[in-house]
Amino acid sequence: MRVTNRMMSQNLVRNLGQNTEALNRVQQQLSSGKRVTRPGDDPVAAALGVRVRDDRAASAQFQRNIDQAQVWLNATDGALGDVGDALQRIRELTVQASSDSYSSLDRAAAGTEVTQLHDQLLATFNATMGGQHLFGGTTTTITPFTKDGAGNAVYNGDTAVMSREVSPGATVAVSVPGSTFMTLLGHVEALKAKLTGPSTGPQIATSLADLDVDLDVVLTQRAEVGAKVNRLDYTRNRLLDTDVELGRLQAANEDVDYAEAMVRFTTQQTVYQAALAVGGRIAPTSLMDFLR
Amino acid sequence: MVSAFHGMNTLLRSLQSQQQAMDTTNHNIANANTEGYSRQTASMAATSAFTVAGSNRPGGVALQLGSGVTVTQVQRARDLFVDLELRDQSQSGEQWETLAAGLRQIEGLFNEPSDQGLQKLVSNYFNAWSDLSNNPESNATRSVVRAGGEALAVGFNDIGQSLAQTRQAFDGAVTGKVAEVNDLAAQVAGLNSQIVQLTGLGDQPNDLRDKRDVVLDRLVDLTGATYKESSTGSVTVLVGGRTLVNDTRATPITLESRPLASGTNIHRLAWSHDNADVTIPGGEIAGLLQLRDEIVPQKMRQLDQLASRIAGTVNDQHRQGNGIGAAAASVSNFFDPMTVTTALSGTGLANDLTAGTVTVGGQAVAVTPSSQTLNDVMLAITTAVEATPGTVPGSATWALDSASGKLSVSYTSTTQVAFGAPGDTSTLLASLGLQGAPTTVSAAGPPPTYTVTGLDALPLVSAARLSVDQAIKNDLAAIAAGGGASPTTGPGDNRNALTIAGLQRTRFAALGEASFTDFYAGTVAALGAETRQAEETSAHHALLTQHLEQRRESTSGVSLDEEATRIIQYQRAYQAAARGISALDEMLETIILRMGRVGN
């Protein structure tokens, strides 16, 4: 084929251009650490990248939700623990006061302590966490329990249960509405009335059965809360594991393999230098140099 | 008997011919780097031989004496077939390269995969609702939801507006290139006239042909035109089957401004003499038109559909719930709803809607997007359907299915009503998807009920104009975190917030059974695949073009080595002829000065 000077220079320019383009690409990959920077680099990887990022963001959100839910549940558990302790004391007092050896003065003294414990129960049930009342149902901004004129508890909240979303589509109820404990408070108030008014030992003893039922209620609630905390721990661990895997997937999908890129870079550089050297030798030579 | 001066003429001719050949070689050397130059060769031929009088021998061959050389023509080395192939490949390459460059620009707007793209904003927005579900009473979490919504709206606005601007830019490029095409066509016409004149006189206008070839190269690259050379030497250029240049007449392409309802100004290409549409089969302009009329609008529509779905479903769910405190009884949207009562020019349909008229069942319906809403225009259409003879009065209705997002028109009639007709100046029916849409016929008794359903979900919300509703901007308490099936309760009620946060994982029929992220990921992947294909095809064509360019250069290019050798060749011939003249001169001197002088 007939080759002209212009063909040779055009070829040289074109090949140098291709070499620099490849060098630029490798350099970009090495300095950014990313193999895929735009959808055209690898469309499937780009789509996967979008989805994986979304999943990871959602996973982080669920972990945040779990953290908050556990704080709430732990606070509830603590409160219920205090309630249990107070009830135990009330039961002790009931046992003592139901004995025939107790005089009405002794019973009155017991009644004073039960009143105090009753108020303590109300205070516990009015506990807050981060500005929200634990036992008000969804009415979290007003005090759930107040006392009426007779000193009996009045529930101002509602009966709804609050839920938190802890994994896709899965919600966990984290609150116990205070209405659950109205019966318990009723029993304590009845006992208080018996102790401060005239009553006999056997009459007081009937409160024991009620108090046992109440203690059971508290224990059951605590057990549920404990079970939920465990479940949330398990869910969080699963989320963390999945997130690690997602992170690995994202890196494998988009990050550049440094070793391979460095080899490519060195090769490309050598090719470029060879092209320059050869071009430099051949391009300027022509017959004109040799004619007289 | 041959004249003594016969040799002189032979040598003189040689001198002149070698001189001319040398001039041609010098011309080649001078133009070694000229774009589009084809090397020229002086063809030399022996002049007619001279029959020597009186040399006829019976039964023998008459003596013929050669009389020298002459340059018969200066030919340019050009392979017309290579030219044809090269131009064909080159215009394909240009078209794909333009597509690739345009698509890369669009890719840049989306900026995925990254942590700064739309996906992140969608994620953040729904995560903010999840945070709100943990603490619905707090103004802090509420303001994060509002901020997330605003950021999402702004994200959509940015991409939507940038796409619109890019589309306008492509249109600007088309206008510029059409002006160039008209200019080049005029040049071809001018060169045609000159070449035909000279060819008619018997000359070979090599340099003019070279010039015309350069112009044709560029013209074909721009438009994918085809051309034919006639025997008179004039070239006819055809674009899309119509004549652009015929002999000395060039038909200009005019640009007719057609503003879209969204404000973007698109130009229609038309032939100046009969205003018919110009079909550009290939080249850069075809690539730009494809970007302007198909690719960018498709991306805009997908974005609008995504924005429509997100805004629509969040709004629908938001209205099911209620705010807290003073706003507990109020019902509001979260995003500014662009619905059937918004002027068409403010919706997502504005991107491909033009004002004008459409024909429905033979009746003309006027379309003014700046003042009409979807309600208005559908009312006009159903009225037109009812006015068609054969339609049962009161049977024409329209509906927008909220699940699938598709528009449908139903009517009971003895005949099918035609939607659209040639001569419609508005693109309304195409935008609504009602033109040529599938028709279902109900089995119920005569007359039958026809239903025309749009092919795609309507993108009512315009991504470029999405914003958070004013009610939310004014009052954080209006954010409906609470509410659900049973009567609502206190400010800690987070059921609505949980449902809205869960929307991120819901699959929607209108998006093709995909969730928001899936749909968006699909859009990104499709864009990436298109870009990749354009780049690879363009690289493939570039390679073929290179190869053909080399062949052209091989045939027509100037090799300095060759020309240098030829210089020597002609120079030596010239020297020899000059020597010959000197020798002849001496011989004549012998005759003239010495003959007849004896003994002196």
Side-chain angles (χ1 to χ4, degrees), chain A residues 1-7 10-11 14 18 36-43 46-47 49-51 53-54 57-58 61-62 64-65 68 130 132 138-141 158 160 162-165 168-169 171 254 286-288 291-292, chain B residues 32-33 35 39 104 107 112-115 119 123 127 130-131 133-135 137 489-494 498 504-505 517-518 520-521 524-525 528-529 531-532 535 546 550 553-555 557-562 564-565 568 572:
Chain A
M1 183 172 79
R2 181 173 170 269
V3 175
T4 64
N5 311 73
R6 202 147 163 253
M7 275 162 76
Q10 278 174 344
N11 277 344
R14 191 183 307 124
Q18 281 173 352
V36 180
T37 47
R38 55 186 188 93
D41 288 342
D42 188 342
V50 167
R51 284 201 196 87
R53 278 182 176 74
D54 189 55
Q61 180 63 41
F62 287 130
R64 214 162 35 244
N65 291 357
Q68 294 219 0
Q132 300 162 290
T138 57
T139 318
T140 50
T141 47
D158 58 59
M162 290 198 286
S163 307
R164 300 282 182 256
E165 196 180 16
T171 50
E254 292 167 29
S286 83
L287 187 55
M288 304 295 185
L291 290 174
R292 277 187 296 109
Chain B
N33 288 327
E35 180 73 43
R39 72 191 161 96
R104 271 195 293 269
E107 268 188 341
E112 296 284 0
S114 78
D115 292 325
Q119 170 268 320
S123 245
N127 281 352
S130 201
D131 273 334
S133 76
N134 292 338
N135 201 342
E137 316 87 334
T489 46
D493 185 0
N494 65 353
L498 283 173
Q504 198 186 9
R505 280 172 288 285
T517 310
D518 282 340
Y520 183 62
V524 166
T531 313
R532 202 136 194 233
E535 285 176 341
Q546 261 176 44
Q550 291 231 316
E553 183 63 21
S554 173
T555 313
V558 171
S559 164
L560 291 174
D561 296 345
E562 244 177 50
T565 316
I568 298 177
R572 286 294 178 219

Side-chain angles (χ1 to χ4, degrees), chain B residues 121 125 152 192 259 310 313 321 324 407 433 448 538 549 561-562 570:
Chain B
L121 295 173
Y125 175 63
L152 182 62
N192 268 350
I310 293 181
T313 44
I324 55 170
L407 188 68
S538 139
E549 269 175 355
D561 296 345
E562 244 177 50
Y570 298 138

Side-chain angles (χ1 to χ4, degrees), chain B residues 360-363 382-392 413 415-418:
Chain B
V360 174
Q363 316 269 328
T382 47
T383 310
V385 169
E386 295 224 342
T388 316
T391 310
V392 173
S413 173
T415 55
Q416 279 196 33
V417 173

Side-chain angles (χ1 to χ4, degrees), chain B residues 76-226:
Chain B
R76 68 176 189 141
R78 193 91 184 183
D79 187 343
L80 294 176
F81 182 62
V82 168
D83 270 344
L84 195 63
E85 269 194 64
L86 173 58
R87 283 174 185 148
D88 187 45
Q89 281 303 328
S90 179
Q91 60 90 5
S92 256
E94 286 298 326
Q95 186 180 3
W96 283 103
E97 180 52 44
T98 311
L99 274 174
L103 282 166
R104 271 195 293 269
Q105 212 179 332
I106 296 172
E107 268 188 341
L109 293 177
F110 279 88
N111 195 22
E112 296 284 0
S114 78
D115 292 325
Q116 294 87 30
L118 199 58
Q119 170 268 320
K120 187 79 192 272
L121 295 173
V122 172
S123 245
N124 282 351
Y125 175 63
F126 286 104
N127 281 352
W129 276 102
S130 201
D131 273 334
L132 182 63
S133 76
N134 292 338
N135 201 342
E137 316 87 334
S138 152
N139 261 358
T141 47
R142 279 169 182 265
S143 65
V144 170
V145 169
R146 181 171 67 186
E150 282 170 343
L152 182 62
V154 166
F156 269 116
N157 293 156
D158 276 346
I159 303 186
Q161 283 163 7
S162 299
L163 280 173
Q165 280 166 4
T166 310
R167 192 179 190 190
Q168 187 71 74
F170 287 139
D171 184 69
V174 167
T175 11
K177 296 219 185 277
V178 164
E180 198 184 337
V181 165
N182 286 339
D183 185 52
L184 293 171
Q187 281 184 35
V188 172
L191 285 165
N192 268 350
S193 124
Q194 290 177 316
I195 291 173
V196 165
Q197 244 181 0
L198 287 170
T199 314
L201 292 172
D203 289 339
Q204 277 185 327
N206 291 324
D207 294 313
L208 286 174
R209 278 175 180 277
D210 275 345
K211 231 191 234 171
R212 188 175 61 182
D213 275 324
V214 168
V215 174
L216 272 175
D217 276 350
R218 183 79 190 120
L219 203 50
V220 172
D221 269 353
L222 281 174
T223 58
T226 51

